[in-house]
Amino acid sequence: LSKLYILLCVLKCTFLVYNYHIANGWSPQGFMNVLFIIKWSLLYDAVCIALINLPLFFLCAATGKLLHNKIVRGATLALFTFANTFLIFLNAIDIFYYRFHLQRADAVLLYVLRNPFANGTSKTLLVAVAAIAAIAFIAWFVYSNILKIVTPGIWKNRFPAVAILLLIFVSLFYLSGPKKLLPTYPLTELEAVQLPLAQNSFYCFLYSMYRQNEAIIPNMNYMSTVQEHSLFTIYKKNAPDSFSQKNIVLFIMESVPSDFFEATSPYKVIMPFLDSLVNKSTYFSNAFSYSYNSNKGITAILAGLPTITDVPLYHSSYTSLSRTSVGTVLAKNNYSSAFFIGDSYDDFGFAKCCKWLGIQQYFCRQDIPGNDEMEHHTMGLHDEYVLNFMQQKLAAMRQPFFAVQYNISTHYPWDTPKTFNNRFPYKNSTPPMKSMQYYNDCLQQFFVEASKHSWYKNAVFIFCADHWAQPDNKNIKVDEVASFRIPLFIYDPAKENQVNISSPVSQLDIINTFLHFGALKDSFVSYGVNLTDTVLQKNRIVFTKLNSAVFQAINDEYVLGFDAVEGKALYCYDYKKDAGKKNNLLHNGSFAIADSLIINMKAFLQTAGKHYRNLR
């Protein structure tokens, strides 16, 4: 037990050092706060070790004679070797996985794992070999130690051992508190940014598996139904408009931060075509993603729904909740619909999501003729091939149509074709920036060709990122507000006009905008508003999901962190004046500033809880 404990502590220290800059040093609030982090870190590791291994010790101490049976002994060895190997390995890979997921590993891992050899480079093989070697070493280490424990005859004097084990178990239960014992409760005594430093990956995985059932859904009644409806409702209806239906083309940009589009950012990408397009578009300079994950971003964008579960909504047990299936609804208005991606079929569950939302056609790598001979990104085909294929399909689609392209070139590890010419090497200096310039070039060719077709004149183009990502892979920092900011703009060739909207907007607003351009007259379900309705944009509050327990409410000045489990506000910052988030207004008694955000957050969570429980 002590060996496991020391090993997990070493992994935790490595996690701290490797990810120190990502979390801005984990924002310690003084000596007592550091002690709390250490306390909970040690306690989490101890509880995880106890959870797995105390049953083994009890088994051996209480039934020592059974260990003489080779079958029982072999099964015991295999079971506990696997469990402990999984415990150690999950904490080890999280050292590296954290910077992509921005929280410790959870049940989402079950839905993002894919065949790494389909498109990967030689590095993929090296990583796989290293992982197998690490697993083998960990398994040998665990096996050799458990072998000594299950040796017949070692447990002759059983009763002192049982007493000691019971003492350990009761002590851990007392220290952690009955509500916080695995796997039914999140840690809320630390700042949200500090949680990953204290947590154990095995705990997070178990807790997220538990949260796949109804335990995840907020079930607090903060206010009357009348007050809730006055603040927030999911039943929307766009204001009537005189224009005819538009062809709608959506470009979901993978892992693209707003930094790439902001003139004042050190990571502004030089991308002549997209820059020129923005200058003729309605650009939302304060747009936010709902979460950090692609499989939650696609649901927010295409369905207007927040994913409350840890696993993707379209993989959860809540797929029957009331929703507006964009493909089905637009089809009733005579629309055809299609989704295009260069990845393999149903990676990340996107094919399932499209089917769930009634999108009629799903095109992936396998559908593109000659794809095996085409140069590919680690995640699939390069964007130029997918956009060329999409161009051909759009020319043949029945109008009006709704089409989505989910690009992959801007996804880690930002591979670009051998023929790619970085025309601005001193400006577009980081790999993510270079990949964005490549996507810009691909889009330029797409628009040159598209402008020759009749459908183009009656089309509207919407650009939105699925989530924020680091603009610099070597200088990574995560901020509660900046790490949700994404580019979002609408280009209408028939109305070329530069407009900048600075009010906060959300991915959840995009489906309302689809249905506006689709001239839908009926009411529908959405957590957003129509982006073209300037009246609705005033005094906006948008919502983001920071981790499994903490949600955020953001307006044009402040950000509020709210614990959905305990139903209380955790922090409130003036993110414009206090960029470093050093002055928690709640600690200073400034609740009046946060009151509006708190009451709107409670309305949002109460509405979402009832919606998921089929009470809406």
Side-chain angles (χ1 to χ4, degrees):
L1 292 177
S2 62
K3 288 180 181 178
L4 282 174
Y5 203 39
I6 292 169
L7 181 55
L8 287 179
C9 287
V10 170
L11 291 174
K12 192 69 68 67
C13 291
T14 307
F15 180 92
L16 163 67
V17 173
Y18 188 75
N19 295 299
Y20 182 82
H21 293 293
I22 298 177
N24 296 323
W26 308 100
S27 304
Q29 305 294 321
F31 179 72
M32 290 304 298
N33 179 233
V34 172
L35 286 182
F36 263 115
I37 294 174
I38 295 173
K39 167 203 165 182
W40 282 106
S41 176
L42 294 174
L43 189 60
Y44 266 129
D45 291 348
V47 170
C48 286
I49 292 172
L51 187 72
I52 291 177
N53 292 287
L54 286 186
L56 170 65
F57 280 81
F58 279 120
L59 176 68
C60 294
T63 60
K65 290 183 180 180
L66 287 176
L67 298 177
H68 291 278
N69 185 304
K70 291 184 178 179
I71 296 177
V72 173
R73 190 161 171 252
T76 302
L77 271 168
L79 175 62
F80 287 96
T81 296
F82 171 79
N84 281 284
T85 299
F86 184 65
L87 163 70
I88 298 169
F89 185 69
L90 202 57
N91 280 277
I93 63 172
D94 244 0
I95 295 170
F96 311 100
Y97 181 58
Y98 173 77
R99 62 179 54 201
F100 301 105
H101 196 48
L102 295 178
Q103 63 184 61
R104 283 191 175 266
D106 55 23
V108 169
L109 272 176
L110 301 175
Y111 302 97
V112 300
L113 293 177
R114 58 194 295 276
N115 180 4
F117 303 103
N119 306 305
T121 62
S122 57
K123 291 181 180 179
T124 306
L125 180 61
L126 292 175
V127 171
V129 171
I132 292 170
I135 292 172
F137 176 78
I138 295 169
W140 169 82
F141 167 79
V142 172
Y143 176 86
S144 61
N145 282 276
I146 294 180
L147 185 61
K148 299 173 185 177
I149 296 171
V150 299
T151 300
I154 199 172
W155 293 91
K156 290 181 180 179
N157 193 1
R158 298 194 295 270
F159 297 106
V162 172
I164 292 171
L165 293 172
L166 283 173
L167 180 62
I168 293 173
F169 181 81
V170 171
S171 298
L172 291 174
F173 185 82
Y174 174 77
L175 287 171
S176 62
K179 290 177 69 178
K180 296 181 176 65
L181 197 65
L182 288 172
T184 63
Y185 205 80
L187 176 60
T188 57
E189 289 188 12
L190 299 177
E191 296 291 334
V193 71
Q194 297 166 347
L195 289 177
L197 185 58
Q199 289 168 326
N200 183 288
S201 301
F202 182 77
Y203 160 82
C204 292
F205 187 82
L206 276 187
Y207 181 61
S208 65
M209 293 297 290
Y210 166 80
R211 282 165 54 87
Q212 292 191 63
N213 59 28
E214 283 196 359
I216 179 160
I217 306 304
N219 192 25
M220 293 186 179
N221 289 312
Y222 298 106
M223 61 194 72
S224 68
T225 302
V226 173
Q227 185 181 12
E228 174 198 334
H229 286 176
S230 69
L231 293 168
F232 198 90
T233 178
I234 60 173
Y235 297 106
K236 306 293 174 65
K237 189 172 184 179
N238 286 329
D241 206 310
S242 59
F243 67 79
S244 60
Q245 295 173 322
K246 291 272 193 178
N247 295 313
I248 306 165
V249 183
L250 169 68
F251 294 99
I252 301 179
M253 302 181 288
E254 171 67 65
S255 306
V256 173
S258 63
D259 306 68
F260 287 173
F261 286 80
E262 295 175 351
T264 58
S265 170
Y267 300 108
K268 170 66 180 76
V269 175
I270 306 301
M271 42 186 180
F273 172 70
L274 281 174
D275 288 341
S276 68
L277 210 61
V278 167
N279 290 335
K280 298 181 287 187
S281 304
T282 300
Y283 186 84
F284 300 90
S285 57
N286 213 16
F288 293 88
S289 65
Y290 169 70
S291 80
Y292 289 134
N293 308 113
S294 298
N295 49 34
K296 296 178 178 66
I298 192 173
T299 306
I301 293 170
L302 295 182
L305 300 177
T307 302
I308 307 295
T309 52
D310 286 341
V311 300
L313 180 54
Y314 46 85
H315 282 304
S316 74
S317 57
Y318 296 98
T319 52
S320 61
L321 87 172
S322 175
R323 67 189 183 279
T324 295
S325 298
V326 62
T328 304
V329 169
L330 287 175
K332 293 178 180 178
N333 264 19
N334 203 36
Y335 271 79
S336 56
S337 55
F339 183 95
F340 301 84
I341 191 169
D343 208 347
S344 299
Y345 180 77
D346 203 30
D347 271 344
F348 300 100
F350 289 170
K352 184 174 184 178
C353 179
C354 289
K355 185 176 181 180
W356 181 58
L357 296 176
I359 295 176
Q360 296 165 348
Q361 298 182 85
Y362 182 91
F363 297 105
C364 61
R365 175 183 177 175
Q366 290 90 334
D367 297 306
I368 299 178
N371 66 84
D372 289 336
E373 288 73 41
M374 297 174 180
E375 191 177 356
H376 56 259
H377 183 281
T378 299
M379 299 298 293
L381 285 181
H382 281 302
D383 292 331
E384 58 189 283
Y385 303 115
V386 181
L387 287 170
N388 287 339
F389 176 77
M390 178 180 175
Q391 188 82 251
Q392 298 167 19
K393 290 295 180 181
L394 293 185
M397 281 183 71
R398 173 176 51 81
Q399 298 183 52
F401 59 70
F402 170 66
V404 182
Q405 193 250 345
Y406 207 125
N407 88 302
I408 60 175
S409 61
T410 49
H411 191 289
Y412 175 88
W414 313 289
D415 303 336
T416 53
K418 295 176 182 177
T419 56
F420 168 65
N421 177 26
N422 183 7
R423 292 171 288 156
F424 313 99
Y426 299 106
K427 295 289 186 179
N428 299 337
S429 54
T430 70
M433 295 171 74
K434 293 175 184 176
S435 69
M436 189 65 201
Q437 186 201 317
Y438 166 68
Y439 187 45
N440 166 86
D441 296 350
C442 295
L443 287 170
Q444 181 175 11
Q445 294 303 314
F446 174 88
F447 272 80
V448 167
E449 182 62 30
S451 62
K452 301 175 184 177
H453 294 271
S454 59
W455 63 262
Y456 180 84
K457 297 177 182 178
N458 188 42
V460 62
F461 300 89
I462 302 174
F463 293 78
C464 180
D466 63 341
H467 57 82
W468 176 91
Q470 300 89 354
D472 185 347
N473 57 314
K474 292 183 179 179
N475 184 25
I476 303 170
K477 289 185 178 181
V478 177
D479 174 89
E480 289 93 337
V481 176
S483 61
F484 287 95
R485 295 193 63 240
I486 57 171
L488 171 58
F489 62 98
I490 302 172
Y491 171 64
D492 186 344
K495 297 179 181 179
E496 292 186 342
N497 191 21
Q498 184 177 13
V499 179
N500 189 295
I501 305 293
S502 60
S503 300
V505 297
S506 168
Q507 289 175 330
L508 297 168
D509 301 331
I510 296 177
I511 186 173
N512 301 54
T513 313
F514 294 156
L515 301 181
H516 163 75
F517 288 118
L520 183 75
K521 298 178 181 178
D522 300 329
S523 62
F524 55 92
V525 173
S526 170
Y527 283 70
V529 304
N530 177 8
L531 290 171
T532 68
D533 192 328
T534 55
V535 175
L536 293 176
Q537 300 303 330
K538 295 180 179 179
N539 303 314
R540 281 296 303 282
I541 296 175
V542 298
F543 303 96
T544 66
K545 186 182 182 189
L546 188 65
N547 56 41
S548 59
V550 179
F551 290 78
Q552 294 188 140
I554 303 173
N555 64 16
D556 55 5
E557 290 183 272
Y558 300 97
V559 55
L560 174 89
F562 192 87
D563 171 19
V565 177
E566 293 194 341
K568 67 178 184 180
L570 301 175
Y571 55 81
C572 183
Y573 298 111
D574 185 337
Y575 66 87
K576 288 192 174 180
K577 296 179 181 178
D578 180 18
K581 315 295 186 303
K582 299 184 183 300
N583 181 25
N584 186 345
L585 299 176
L586 300 183
H587 291 169
N588 298 333
S590 303
F591 283 92
I593 294 175
D595 280 347
S596 174
L597 292 172
I598 292 172
I599 193 67
N600 278 276
M601 171 63 81
K602 288 179 176 180
F604 169 79
L605 291 175
Q606 183 168 308
T607 300
K610 291 180 178 179
H611 183 204
Y612 270 70
R613 294 175 186 274
N614 291 319
L615 299 176
R616 281 283 179 272

